[in-house]
Amino acid sequence: MNQEVAHAQHTPTERAFTVLLSPTRRGARLARLLTTAHLGAWGLPSESAAHIVAELAANATVHGRVKGRDFQLALTVTGSTLRIEVTDTRGDSVPPGPGAVKPPGDDAEAGRGLLIVEALADRWGIVPGPVPRKTVWAEIDLVR
C-alpha cells in the first residue's frame, strides 16, 4: 500500500492588523497608539513605525479627508518586513512619490511628513485606486 506523506511547507510568519479610523486628529493619534500596542504585543520594535504611522495618518486626516469617510490603517508582518499602509478616499489628492518630495522652506510650519517617512522607511510608495482611494505604504526591514 502506498501512502503519501504530506510535507508541511513553512511560510513566513504573517501577522496582520487592519482598522478603520475617523479622519480626525483623534483618529490619527489612535492610529499611532494602536501601532505601538500591536507591535509591542508582537514583540517588535515600534518607534520608527509609530513615527511613520503618525505622519501618514496626519496626511490622511488633512489632505485625504472626505466628510463621512474613514481612513484605513493596515499593519502586516511578513517574514522580516513590516508593511504599513494608510488608505484614504481622496485618490485625486496624490502626494509626490519617493525621491520627489521637496523640503519646505526654513520658516514653513508644515510639509516635512513625507521627508520623515522617506528617512525612516526602507521603502515607500503610493498605490492609486480603486477609485476613489489611494494608499500610501511604507516598509521597514526588521532586524532580529
Side-chain angles (χ1 to χ4, degrees):
M1 174 194 274
N2 284 339
Q3 290 184 344
E4 288 185 32
V5 177
H7 295 284
Q9 291 186 355
H10 297 284
T11 58
T13 301
E14 185 165 327
R15 293 183 173 137
F17 170 74
T18 304
V19 65
L20 290 175
L21 299 162
S22 65
T24 62
R25 288 174 34 184
R26 176 179 255 172
R29 181 175 182 271
L30 185 55
R32 181 181 52 80
L33 292 172
L34 289 169
T35 296
T36 301
H38 278 274
L39 294 180
W42 294 342
L44 299 172
S46 63
E47 188 173 346
S48 291
H51 288 302
I52 291 170
V53 167
E55 297 302 335
L56 296 182
N59 284 352
T61 63
V62 173
H63 306 292
R65 182 179 185 163
V66 174
K67 187 175 181 174
R69 294 185 182 167
D70 294 336
F71 74 93
Q72 178 178 286
L73 167 66
L75 306 172
T76 307
V77 177
T78 305
S80 62
T81 301
L82 167 64
R83 184 175 176 99
I84 299 163
E85 296 181 345
V86 174
T87 302
D88 66 49
T89 55
R90 284 285 311 273
D92 61 328
S93 175
V94 179
V101 180
K102 305 240 185 289
D106 291 340
D107 58 347
E109 293 183 16
R112 292 172 181 81
L114 289 177
L115 291 171
I116 293 170
V117 171
E118 200 159 63
L120 295 175
D122 292 298
R123 292 163 298 286
W124 75 280
I126 303 158
V127 178
V131 173
R133 295 181 282 276
K134 73 169 173 302
T135 299
V136 182
W137 60 270
E139 292 182 342
I140 299 173
D141 294 331
L142 302 170
V143 179
R144 301 211 186 238

